[in-house]
Structure formats: structure tokens, C-alpha cells
Amino acid sequence: MDRLIITGGNRLDGDIRISGSKNSSLPILAATLLADGPVTVGNLPHLQDVTTLIELLGRMGVHVTIDDRMNVEVNVSTIEEFHAPYELVKTMRASILVLGPLLAHFGRAEVSLPGGCAIGTRPVDLHLRGLEAMGAEVEVANGYVYASVPGGRLKGTRLVLDTVTVTGTENLMMAAALAEGTTIIENAAREPEVVDLADCLNKMGGHVQGAGTDTITIEGVVSLSGTVHNVIPDRIETGTYLVAAAATSGRIRVKDTAPHLLDAVLQKLQEAGAKLTLDETTIELDMEGRRPKAISLKTAPYPAMPTDMQAQFTAMNAVAEGTGTITETVFENRFMHVQEMNRMGADIQLQANTAICRGVDHLTAAPVMATDLRASASLVLAGLVAEGDTIVDRIYHIDRGYECIEEKLQLLGASIRRVPA
Ligand code: EPZ
């Protein structure tokens, strides 16, 4: 497995371009299964997770063509099977997103249950219960979900989700798009990626209203047509590089992004002492050489602080001026990066779901191991502010969610290189 070696001490300074959103790309690629005509998806990031989903579609017999700009055209008219195998689903839990579309369009699906993962058990009970409420017959056996629609077509209904679930909202919204009648999803996720999916479904001829609020109403239609859709920029990639620049007391200009999707993140960066200049698609952050001030945050569903930004802010707090508390409320085990940072000289105490970070002047390089996508990124950030060479192992996690991370950081002046294990 490849590793990243980071020689810390450089202030980041430069411009980078943000890639398309991973967490928009995955549901939208799954949504192509709903269409009777070809769907072209653009601005896709070159990420392992996107490749995995494209491979999954191909395995089902769906015709996928990719052009040199990574625009992907999906034509499901050639679909032969409705099976998502464990060997693929275990590498990318978001494969569960094919369940709703397969049921809605073809009336049947066999999808491996995504296992738990490092950050939590991550059940999909709300996805399954919602589909059952819409008339699907769902059986879970030997690690697979076997689902069918005895009535021939899913039926719209009112769903009240116990927990705010992003992919649960997305799966049920896609299923409802072709159901008979109206579906109302209460306590829906409000994430921008849910809105992007709704926009794509409406371009396909769907009738989705209220995406971005906690109540989404979907009028089912008989069929959905092909379309062309470019995914929104990746707000978490954006936040990751902004926090990296703040942690190194540097300056960065992030282009082709969507500042209006990052209110909670930008507010915390301002509290940390960053000077921000925004326009429609660009964010400039300048620490003016100052050390970041410690911030306190609590993760929660959008529009609050994304859980996917928690590890990155923990890395910044590790070297910030003062003490900050970081509370994780979404996942039950998302502090595994903390012990790795403490091995680098950080002073972070864990109390239940809160990390109390007392900022130190600098960290000291160490060999560290990543456990999930965002924890990996936070260890790279820690390496940027550590004396010596930090070796981050198991970086396949990073390749799942960050396109060309070492090239982008090199563009910003970081001393980072990838070495094959
Ligand atoms: C999505 O995961 C994202 N992934 C995650 O990003 C993100 O961390 C998460 O939302 C929260 O924002 C994609 O969009 C592909 P949830 P998802 O269902 O949908 C519980 C990254 O780093 N829950 O919103 O799987 C669950 O256990 C990834 O890019 C149930 O109990 O998360 C969790 O505590 C990591 N039953 C909470 O809801 C269910 O049926 C939120 O999970 C579903 C979820």
C-alpha cells in the first residue's frame, strides 16, 4: 500500500482548483439507473469511490462510456442483472444507493449489506424501512438485502425518518421519483448533495420539491428520461484545504468551489483568525502569518458543522493558540485520528464524544496510520505542521475522497511525496 511522506514546516501559499463533489457524484451516478435514456454526468472527481460505482454499474450490464474529461455517459437500457456484490460494496458503502433506483425502475434488487466501518456501525435500517413502507418486500439474509416489489410499482407514502440520514434521504427520494403517487419525506437531510440529486432528478423529468429543507415532497412519474448534469463542487475538499492553510499560518485561494455551501466552516475559520475574501466561486483565506486561534465546534447535520470536517479542525486545534473543544454528535467512533496526533506530540484529551485540544507550538513527525477518509486527511494536515518527516500509511482511504492530494498540496508549497509501500 502506498504511503505519503510529509516534511512539515512549510506555510501553504498558492491557488488550487476544487474537484466535483464525491458525495454528490455517488447518488447521481446511482440515479442514472432510474432513466430510460442516456444520462451524462460531468465534473466527476477522479476518485476511487467514483470508479467503484462505475464498475458496479458496468457489472450490472449497464453501458458506461467515459470521455477524456471524465464526463460519464450511463445508458441503463442494456442492464442485465440487479446485483451489487459484496466484493464491491465492502469497499464503498455508498453502493447501497443503487437499491432504491433498482427497485423503483426494475422492481428487484440484490445488494450486499455495507459492513460497518471504522467510524461506526452505520446501519441502513432507515433505508430498508422506508422502502418497505413504499411497498417493497425486503429480506436481509447472508449479508445481502433481497428486495422486490410484489405490487409491480412502489407506492408513494409519508415517511418520517427517525434520524437525519443523507444517503437514506437520497435512496428514498430516488425510489419515490418513479413510485405511484406522492411521497413526503419528513426529517429529511438538508445537505447540498441532496439538493444536487433533486436537481438532477427534476432535469430527468422528476417532480421533487423541498430539497434542502427537512420536508421533501416527490410526485412519482411513470418514467424518467436521460439528461446532462454536472455535479456541484466538493465542499469538504474545499474545507480541508482551507483548514490546512489556516493550520500552517498560510494563504490559499480555492477556485471552482461554492462558498455559499460552507457557512459553518467559514465562520469557524474566521474565529481562528483567518481573513476571508469570497466571490461566487472562489474563497481566499489569509492568516497573514498568524498562528490560528483554537476554536470549539459541535458537528451536526447541514447547515451546521459537517462531521466530515471534524478531524481536519482537530488537526488545526492541535497547534492553535489556546484550548478548543470538538464535539462529534453524528458518528459514534470518529476520533481515531486523536491518538495518532497525540503520538505526534498533540495534547488532546477525549471525554466521551468530546475532544479537548490544548494547542502546542508544533507537532513532531511520526509514522501514523489512517483509519478512514477524513482521519487520513487530518493526519496529512498534522504532518504539514510537524517537525520532520511524517509517514502516513494506508492512504487508500485518502484516494477514495481526495483527487491528487499530493499534487494539490505541492502546488501550495507543501513538501509531500507518495512512495509505494
Ligand atoms: C453520508 O454518509 C456521507 N457519505 C458521509 O461522508 C457523511 O459523513 C455522512 O453522510 C454524514 O454527513 C455519502 O454521502 C456517500 P448518514 P451516510 O446516513 O449517509 C445513522 C465521507 O467522509 N443512520 O447521514 O452513510 C448513522 O449511523 C463520508 O465522505 C442510522 O441509524 O450517513 C449515523 O449515526 C463519511 N440508520 C447517522 O445516521 C440508517 O439507516 C448519520 O448517518 C442510516 C443512518
Side-chain angles (χ1 to χ4, degrees):
M1 278 178 272
D2 290 358
R3 293 176 298 167
L4 285 174
I5 299 182
I6 304 111
T7 306
N10 300 9
R11 274 187 189 165
L12 296 190
D13 187 348
D15 297 3
I16 55 161
R17 182 194 170 277
I18 291 299
S19 307
S21 162
K22 166 178 85 78
N23 290 350
S24 234
S25 302
L26 300 176
I28 286 172
L29 284 169
T32 62
L33 290 165
L34 291 165
D36 286 340
V39 179
T40 299
V41 188
N43 197 32
L44 285 172
H46 296 67
L47 294 175
Q48 184 54 52
D49 272 12
V50 170
T51 309
T52 302
L53 194 55
I54 291 171
E55 185 182 343
L56 176 58
L57 293 174
R59 289 277 191 91
M60 294 179 191
V62 167
H63 190 67
V64 183
T65 47
I66 303 175
D67 73 17
D68 54 356
R69 291 167 46 81
M70 188 86 177
N71 292 320
V72 170
E73 183 191 88
V74 181
N75 188 332
V76 298
S77 57
T78 56
I79 194 166
E80 287 150 3
E81 53 176 284
F82 313 98
H83 178 82
Y86 176 62
E87 63 178 291
L88 283 180
V89 176
K90 73 179 176 189
T91 66
M92 207 255 308
R93 357 168 355 83
S95 309
I96 193 73
L97 283 165
V98 302
L99 181 59
L102 286 174
L103 270 186
H105 196 184
F106 306 103
R108 51 202 248 255
E110 270 179 28
V111 178
S112 164
L113 270 178
C117 78
I119 62 179
T121 53
R122 302 188 69 186
V124 290
D125 54 309
L126 298 178
H127 301 235
L128 304 184
R129 291 216 321 257
L131 292 169
E132 283 177 326
M134 295 173 74
E137 211 159 75
V138 176
E139 191 209 335
V140 176
N142 46 61
Y144 274 81
V145 176
Y146 298 95
S148 61
V149 185
R153 190 179 174 196
L154 292 172
K155 301 268 182 302
T157 186
R158 182 166 176 270
L159 303 167
V160 183
L161 300 181
D162 298 352
T163 313
V164 175
T165 162
V166 176
T167 51
T169 300
E170 291 164 347
N171 231 337
L172 295 169
M173 193 163 75
M174 290 189 281
L178 283 179
E180 189 180 336
T182 301
T183 300
I184 298 174
I185 304 176
E186 305 273 10
N187 198 25
R190 300 169 53 187
E191 270 67 6
E193 293 74 28
V194 173
V195 177
D196 201 23
L197 173 62
D199 291 347
C200 182
L201 291 174
N202 287 336
K203 283 162 75 171
M204 291 160 69
H207 296 307
V208 182
Q209 291 178 313
T213 75
D214 61 6
T215 303
I216 302 178
T217 303
I218 306 106
E219 304 287 337
V221 294
V222 172
S223 69
L224 290 165
S225 58
T227 189
V228 178
H229 185 83
N230 293 330
V231 303
I232 56 173
D234 195 310
R235 60 193 170 95
I236 305 301
E237 185 195 18
T238 303
T240 302
Y241 287 106
L242 291 172
V243 171
T248 59
S249 307
R251 189 201 71 77
I252 188 173
R253 194 150 61 115
V254 180
K255 298 181 287 188
D256 296 347
T257 189
H260 64 285
L261 303 181
L262 284 125
D263 291 349
V265 171
L266 297 179
Q267 184 182 307
K268 285 301 164 189
L269 286 165
Q270 277 177 322
E271 284 178 29
K275 193 159 130 307
L276 295 175
T277 313
L278 315 180
D279 74 16
E280 190 76 15
T281 60
T282 306
I283 301 172
E284 178 160 355
L285 175 145
D286 192 347
M287 293 301 287
E288 296 168 332
R290 291 186 301 275
R291 182 180 175 192
K293 296 191 197 79
I295 54 98
S296 292
L297 64 83
K298 183 174 176 181
T299 67
Y302 193 88
M305 177 58 67
T307 173
D308 293 348
M309 283 300 305
Q310 179 261 106
Q312 298 90 315
F313 273 110
T314 305
M316 186 193 81
N317 264 0
V319 292
E321 202 177 302
T323 298
T325 59
I326 303 247
T327 301
E328 172 60 58
T329 72
V330 176
F331 289 111
E332 62 267 32
N333 186 29
R334 205 170 196 179
F335 280 123
M336 284 155 300
H337 44 283
V338 166
Q339 69 260 27
E340 295 299 278
M341 290 177 191
N342 285 343
R343 290 178 53 241
M344 297 173 72
D347 177 1
I348 307 172
Q349 308 296 318
L350 282 181
Q351 286 177 9
N353 65 340
T354 294
I356 299 158
C357 318
R358 288 178 188 79
V360 294
D361 283 346
H362 65 272
L363 300 178
T364 311
V368 289
M369 187 182 76
T371 48
D372 77 83
L373 168 54
R374 308 303 173 182
S376 319
S378 75
L379 293 175
V380 173
L381 267 53
L384 294 174
V385 292
E387 280 176 0
D389 292 352
T390 296
I391 300 168
V392 181
D393 213 340
R394 297 194 180 186
I395 58 161
Y396 57 86
H397 290 297
I398 289 193
D399 294 336
R400 289 188 43 213
Y402 289 93
E403 182 177 351
C404 310
I405 189 166
E406 67 266 32
E407 285 86 350
K408 291 191 180 185
L409 283 172
Q410 284 160 358
L411 269 179
L412 294 168
S415 171
I416 179 171
R417 66 188 195 284
R418 177 185 292 253
V419 289

